[in-house]
Amino acid sequence: MAGRFDLQGRHGKSRVRVYVKAKECTEVVSMEEFAVILGRHFTSLYPQVGNEATVTIVERPWERVAVDGKPHSHGFKLGSEKHTTEVTVKKSGSLLINSGIQGYSLLKTTQSGFEGFVRDRYTLLPETRERIVATEVTAWWRYPFEHISQLPSKPFCFTQRYQDVKKVLADTFFGPPEVGVYSPSVQNTLYLMAREVLTRFPDIASVQLRMPNLHFLPVNLSGKENPGLVKFADDVYMPTDEPHGTIEATLSRANSKL
C-alpha cells in the first residue's frame, strides 16, 4: 500500500532530501521502514546531526469509495483515523520503533455498563448495566528491535501489522457480531484490548492506549413539575462533553524495557 507523507522539515533542503530518499525506494515500503531509511541517512551523512535522529510520520488514509454498490476505479474519501510512527535512529545503530493509531472512533449502542467502581461518600454516580459507550482510541505500540542489525532480512511488514492491531482493537471492543461482549467499564475494555494485542503479536513489546469517554446521554424531559412533557424511552440521545474522563494505561511484557 502506498503512503502519502506530510513533510514538515525546518527548511526546504530537508524536504528535498526526504523527497529524494522516497524517489530512491525501488519498491513500496512501510512508514516505519521509510523512517528508518531517513534516520540512517541523516545520522550517517551529516556530521552536524547529533547522536540520533527522530523521524515522525503521520499518514491519513484514503479509502476507495463505492458508487451504486460498486468500488469506484479512481474515487477515494479521506478516512478519519491516522496511522502514525516515530522512529529514533542513533549513529551507533541503536533503534527505537513506535507505531500507532490516532482518532480511531468506536461506539457500542448496548452491551456496556459502568459498575463495580470504588464508592465513597463523595460518589454521586449510580451504577448502570445499560448505556451507550463511545471513545476515540489513541494507541501506541513498541516493536522489540533495538538495533538496525535486528531488523529482519526479509522485510517485516509493518503496514500489515498496523492493520492487524487495528482489527484486534476493534474486535475486542465490539465482541462477536451476533451477540457482542459485555463491558463493565471502559477501563476493563481498555485493559482487555491491550492484553489481546500483546497476546496475539509476540513482535510487539508494549502497548499504550488512551480512550476518553464520549458520552451520549438519554434525553428525559419529564419531571414532577412538568408531568405533561414527553418522556423519551431511551431512544433520543444528547452528545455531551460533561462529565469527561480519559482512561489511559500501558501494558508491557515482563521482560520488556519501557
Side-chain angles (χ1 to χ4, degrees):
M1 181 182 72
R4 177 180 177 179
F5 306 105
D6 294 329
L7 310 174
Q8 298 180 358
R10 290 184 178 272
H11 47 74
K13 290 184 178 180
S14 296
R15 295 191 181 192
V16 170
R17 293 186 182 101
V18 172
Y19 288 131
V20 169
K21 299 309 293 183
K23 181 65 175 177
E24 290 177 354
C25 294
T26 57
E27 59 183 15
V28 175
V29 298
S30 67
M31 289 170 48
E32 291 82 358
E33 291 171 302
F34 188 58
V36 171
I37 291 172
L38 292 178
R40 296 185 69 177
H41 171 75
F42 285 108
T43 55
S44 63
L45 204 60
Y46 302 101
Q48 64 267 36
V49 175
N51 183 53
E52 65 183 39
T54 298
V55 180
T56 302
I57 300 175
V58 178
E59 177 189 49
R60 301 185 67 186
W62 289 92
E63 302 170 352
R64 191 178 300 276
V65 299
V67 177
D68 294 333
K70 297 180 180 179
H72 199 280
S73 62
H74 54 271
F76 294 84
K77 65 181 179 69
L78 191 61
S80 57
E81 70 272 3
K82 299 176 182 178
H83 180 188
T84 61
T85 189
E86 182 178 277
V87 174
T88 299
V89 181
K90 293 187 176 182
K91 289 183 181 291
S92 63
S94 295
L95 191 64
L96 180 64
I97 301 178
N98 289 297
S99 292
I101 185 170
Q102 296 177 355
Y104 192 28
S105 298
L106 304 175
L107 180 147
K108 294 201 307 183
T109 59
T110 188
Q111 284 283 57
S112 174
F114 190 45
E115 56 180 335
F117 49 86
V118 176
R119 306 189 68 87
D120 55 32
R121 61 193 181 98
Y122 302 105
T123 303
L124 299 177
L125 185 69
E127 295 190 358
T128 180
R129 289 186 59 86
E130 182 59 49
R131 67 170 183 170
I132 289 177
V133 62
T135 187
E136 188 174 90
V137 179
T138 297
W140 281 98
W141 53 91
R142 183 171 64 83
Y143 291 100
F145 312 119
E146 297 181 349
H147 195 273
I148 290 176
S149 62
Q150 295 179 352
L151 291 173
S153 55
K154 182 179 179 180
F156 180 81
C157 192
F158 290 98
T159 302
Q160 182 60 52
R161 181 60 73 245
Y162 165 76
Q163 296 293 343
D164 294 340
V165 172
K166 179 180 173 182
K167 183 177 186 301
V168 165
L169 291 174
D171 289 354
T172 308
F173 180 88
F174 293 117
E178 297 84 5
V179 296
V181 61
Y182 179 69
S183 168
S185 66
V186 175
Q187 290 86 339
N188 177 269
T189 298
L190 178 148
Y191 169 76
L192 295 178
M193 291 164 69
R195 187 182 68 178
E196 189 64 17
V197 169
L198 293 180
T199 300
R200 292 280 299 274
F201 309 116
D203 46 50
I204 291 179
S206 64
V207 57
Q208 179 184 27
L209 287 179
R210 182 176 184 270
M211 294 170 54
N213 271 315
L214 304 179
H215 290 292
F216 294 84
L217 303 181
V219 175
N220 186 353
L221 298 181
S222 66
K224 294 182 179 179
E225 298 180 357
N226 299 289
L229 293 181
V230 175
K231 178 177 175 61
F232 294 98
D234 289 351
D235 54 0
V236 176
Y237 289 82
M238 175 181 66
T240 177
D241 295 330
E242 299 293 341
H244 178 78
T246 295
I247 298 91
E248 184 173 342
T250 300
L251 270 68
S252 63
R253 303 184 187 280
N255 58 349
S256 174
K257 298 178 182 178
L258 286 177

